[in-house]
Amino acid sequence: MTRALSVHPAKISVILPGTWADIPLDDAASTDAAISALVKRQVGRNDRLATLRRDAKQRLAEVARDAREANAVMLALSLDILPGVPFPASLMADYREWPATVGEERRTVADGLAMLLPAGELLEFTSGVAIRSFARTTIRPGTAAIPDIKLEYFLTVPTGEKVLHIVADVPIDCDPEIIAALFDAIVDSIRWFPDATVVPGGTVDAG
């Protein structure tokens, strides 16, 4: 099961596998209301689950706060990968400028992306040229340490003026190569709203 999500603030559509919740970022009240409704729907209202609901709200509120501070244009939270198969993950996107040094001379797209993510791997998607890194780390939403796989992408946009910055967090203990392949497919599925044409991957013109 997949879902095609149109994200109007980001001016993109993206295909997401399984079930995802699209969290509004327009204002804190809307974000908090969406998170509360999501936690109640997923966890339930049983009094014995109060601690679980509180921890889930805290973790999701931190994710949403980071997204707003980054001026994110998209925040999606995964609920399951297949019916009945939980798959906790978050996907955030924001637009970034090319590094100022790119404007000093015309560089290839690969050069510009490497400046944004020096340790990343260059990828050519249908959606555009991208660079990606991933790493296994640990997060501590409460007192417990949880394994986490973090992926970061910079994807060229149709006008070539900016890049779409995408961050995925997957708090599960799994082979990061498998998770990277899944999110590579998600980023490859991105389609841009028809207000520009994709610039071929030759050079970056920062104006």
Side-chain angles (χ1 to χ4, degrees):
M1 182 177 64
T2 59
R3 177 192 177 195
L5 175 67
S6 292
V7 188
H8 290 274
K11 299 184 178 180
I12 62 171
S13 66
V14 59
I15 296 176
L16 298 172
T19 306
W20 292 69
D22 182 23
I23 304 299
L25 297 171
D26 300 330
D27 59 82
S30 298
T31 303
D32 292 343
I35 288 174
S36 294
L38 175 63
V39 170
K40 286 178 183 177
R41 186 168 71 247
Q42 294 301 116
V43 179
R45 299 172 180 268
N46 192 304
D47 290 343
R48 290 177 296 177
L49 301 175
T51 300
L52 181 59
R53 283 195 300 272
R54 184 182 64 248
D55 291 346
K57 284 183 182 179
Q58 177 185 342
R59 167 63 181 152
L60 296 181
E62 290 172 356
V63 171
R65 184 195 62 226
D66 291 345
R68 284 198 302 271
E69 289 178 354
N71 295 316
V73 291
M74 169 187 171
L75 175 60
L77 303 176
S78 173
L79 307 180
D80 59 45
I81 194 72
L82 291 169
V85 182
F87 180 70
S90 65
L91 186 65
M92 183 190 77
D94 64 282
Y95 283 101
R96 300 281 182 94
E97 302 288 342
W98 287 100
T101 51
V102 171
E104 296 174 2
E105 58 182 275
R106 290 180 65 85
R107 298 176 179 267
T108 66
V109 167
D111 289 340
L113 291 172
M115 294 172 69
L116 289 165
L117 201 59
E121 177 183 354
L122 194 68
L123 302 167
E124 291 200 16
F125 293 135
T126 305
S127 53
V129 183
I131 196 166
R132 181 256 292 142
S133 69
F134 63 88
R136 192 194 299 266
T137 182
T138 302
I139 56 175
R140 295 180 178 274
T143 55
I146 299 174
D148 181 64
I149 299 170
K150 181 181 287 290
L151 302 98
E152 186 173 19
Y153 296 81
F154 286 95
L155 176 67
T156 53
V157 304
T159 61
E161 296 173 357
K162 295 184 179 182
V163 287
L164 184 63
H165 177 232
I166 303 163
V167 176
D169 271 298
V170 186
I172 59 175
D173 190 8
C174 179
D175 182 351
E177 293 278 358
I178 295 174
I179 300 300
L182 172 64
F183 279 91
D184 284 357
I186 290 174
V187 174
D188 192 28
S189 78
I190 289 175
R191 296 296 179 266
W192 309 95
F193 287 178
D195 57 355
T197 349
V198 174
V199 174
T203 59
V204 174
D205 188 355

